[in-house]
Amino acid sequence: MNKRNLTIAAAALVAAGCAGMMESEPQVTDAQVLAVMKKSFLPKGRAQLDRLDQDEMQKLCSEAGATGKPLAKEVSDRLEKAQAAVIKYPSNLMGDWKSGERIAQTGVGKQYTDDPATPAGGNCYACHQLAKAELAFGTIGPPLYNFGKIRGFTPAMQKYAYGKVYNSQAFSACSSMPRFGHQQILTEKQIQDVVALLMEPESPVNK
């Protein structure tokens, strides 16, 4: 056997050995990972260990993100339908836009350092532009400036805005937007106020 063939044979043996080692390694299950995480994190204040528990939608979206493979359409349609079923629409969808503006600008709440007696904020500006006068805003989400003015100040659009804030996954599976109502981040009244911020003609969003 010449030197070149010997090198090729050696490389093949090494590759085969590595493959055998990989096949013999035990597979770590999701349950084992979750158990380790729950031992690593300590519950404190408003931050409890139940945040580590995933529902079906979160599990499937996590898997899709890890593998780089988007959800099949029939799966995303099913998840969106299930999430839409849990939205609780009040009889009145609109609140006070001035309160909604304060909620949009407030990022406190749900962290272990936050006072449980203090209402959580929406922190909407972290991801969206809402008002023309706002100097700093995020771009993860689409701009919402002139939201109602562009889409129309209709009851149907009010319902859409309420549902989207309450549970964004009902409209787009694996959305990065928090499920503010479903996860009890914002109260019903707070969501009504945010809807008013988006939909009132006199709101700075629509000026």
Side-chain angles (χ1 to χ4, degrees), residues 20-191:
M21 291 173 62
M22 292 176 64
E23 289 175 0
S24 64
E25 291 179 356
Q27 296 297 311
V28 179
T29 66
D30 290 342
Q32 289 172 319
V33 172
L34 182 60
V36 171
M37 290 176 67
K38 287 194 173 184
K39 286 183 179 180
S40 302
F41 291 92
L42 297 176
K44 187 174 182 181
R46 306 185 77 170
Q48 298 296 307
L49 294 182
D50 59 356
R51 295 188 180 190
L52 299 177
D53 297 324
Q54 292 186 314
D55 59 20
E56 182 192 20
M57 184 278 300
Q58 291 171 318
K59 289 179 181 178
L60 291 176
C61 290
S62 294
E63 290 173 4
T67 61
K69 297 179 180 178
L71 296 177
K73 186 177 186 305
E74 60 270 20
V75 175
S76 61
D77 288 347
R78 177 175 62 80
L79 291 175
E80 290 169 9
K81 184 177 180 180
Q83 294 297 306
V86 302
I87 298 177
K88 300 175 182 177
Y89 291 98
S91 56
N92 181 21
L93 299 170
M94 298 271 281
D96 174 22
W97 71 259
K98 293 181 180 179
S99 295
E101 186 175 33
R102 289 192 292 271
I103 294 166
Q105 293 172 339
T106 302
V108 300
K110 300 300 183 179
Q111 301 178 77
Y112 78 91
T113 53
D114 293 325
D115 182 356
T118 303
N123 202 21
C124 305
Y125 279 102
C127 298
H128 304 279
Q129 179 190 16
L130 282 90
K132 189 176 182 179
E134 199 69 28
L135 297 177
F137 49 83
T139 57
I140 295 174
L144 300 177
Y145 180 56
N146 279 337
F147 182 90
K149 195 172 184 180
I150 292 172
R151 295 164 177 80
F153 303 106
T154 64
M157 191 51 59
Q158 290 178 18
K159 185 175 182 180
Y160 168 78
Y162 189 96
K164 183 74 172 182
V165 176
Y166 190 100
N167 191 340
S168 62
Q169 305 290 345
F171 302 87
S172 179
C174 301
S175 168
S176 58
M177 181 173 172
R179 297 179 289 177
F180 287 103
H182 181 62
Q183 294 180 318
Q184 299 180 340
I185 299 171
L186 299 179
T187 65
E188 178 183 287
K189 174 63 168 59
Q190 286 180 306
I191 298 176

